[in-house]
Amino acid sequence: MTTPDSVRIGIVSISDRASSGTYEDKGLPSLQAWLARALKNPIDFEARLIPDEAALISATLIELVNAGCSLVLTTGGTGPALRDVTPEATLAVAHKEMPGFGEQMRQISLRFVPTAILSRQVAVIRDQSLIINLPGQPKSIAETLEGLKDTEGVQAVPGIFAAVPYCIDLIGGPYLETDDTVCKAFRPKSAIRR
């Protein structure tokens, strides 16, 4: 059995109030805890807590990609409010847009709240990095990444993270190995490392 590749992951919480200390940030701890449960790989986290400023968000994403983060997850700033600019800042640094991620996140959230249609999460590729905007609430972060299970524990709605490892394979990143009890990665048989 080979040792899993080590991976550098950027996690960015975007909030005016949390970055100014008005309230405690829950996004970064939620992202870090979920990824530590879901991945078997050794993870080097690059965490950032920043305000809702488009230029700063874009600069932070570029900095994390340049620092070698194969995956960058953001939380916050994806609604319709005037200060919500995360999707625009993410698209501004994109080389390719990956619309399926946002579509699936909204499908999952619609199972809980009709206002999920107000979410504007996007996912993009920049160089050899996948950048995904996640919802702001810790519960929603876990639901969109992991998907939804029925009462027997069988996957009812796939989470977006099931597609993340293969996407990172395709852009030349490290081979991510998931804990199937949390989130089973999907790869074509030809792409599975034996």
Side-chain angles (χ1 to χ4, degrees):
M1 197 73 182
T2 58
T3 307
D5 294 350
S6 62
V7 60
R8 179 170 284 183
I9 298 178
I11 52 175
V12 186
S13 186
I14 299 158
S15 166
D16 285 334
R17 290 182 297 166
S19 65
S20 69
T22 306
Y23 71 76
E24 180 192 359
D25 173 64
K26 293 191 169 40
L28 293 174
S30 297
L31 287 169
Q32 194 160 340
W34 191 90
L35 288 162
R37 277 192 313 121
L39 287 172
K40 294 179 178 179
N41 304 68
I43 306 169
D44 175 18
F45 286 105
E46 291 280 347
R48 304 286 188 275
L49 175 58
I50 59 174
D52 293 277
E53 299 287 349
L56 179 58
I57 297 166
S58 292
T60 301
L61 296 176
I62 291 169
E63 175 205 339
L64 292 170
V65 168
N66 291 346
C69 293
S70 304
L71 176 64
V72 179
L73 299 177
T74 73
T75 177
T78 59
L82 294 177
R83 294 284 297 165
D84 290 336
V85 293
T86 302
E88 288 76 17
T90 303
L91 290 168
V93 304
H95 294 147
K96 293 180 180 169
E97 196 174 343
M98 302 296 290
F101 285 101
E103 291 163 7
Q104 184 63 8
M105 283 189 270
R106 284 182 281 280
Q107 284 301 312
I108 292 167
S109 297
L110 275 168
R111 300 236 172 174
F112 300 98
V113 291
T115 51
I117 59 173
L118 303 179
S119 298
R120 301 182 307 113
Q121 293 102 329
V122 299
V124 304
I125 290 169
R126 179 181 176 85
D127 296 335
Q128 288 182 289
S129 300
L130 174 62
I131 303 170
I132 306 173
N133 300 156
L134 295 169
Q137 296 301 316
K139 182 175 179 287
S140 301
I141 290 169
E143 287 164 355
T144 55
L145 288 170
E146 204 165 315
L148 307 176
K149 295 186 168 102
D150 65 18
T151 51
E152 274 82 56
V154 176
Q155 192 86 40
V157 181
I160 63 161
F161 204 82
V164 167
Y166 186 51
C167 181
I168 290 176
D169 292 351
L170 293 171
I171 60 174
Y175 189 89
L176 299 186
E177 297 181 43
T178 57
D179 179 334
D180 292 355
T181 62
V182 178
C183 178
K184 184 173 172 48
F186 178 84
R187 286 180 170 96
K189 284 192 177 74
S190 61
I192 296 171
R193 192 184 279 181
R194 302 273 177 223

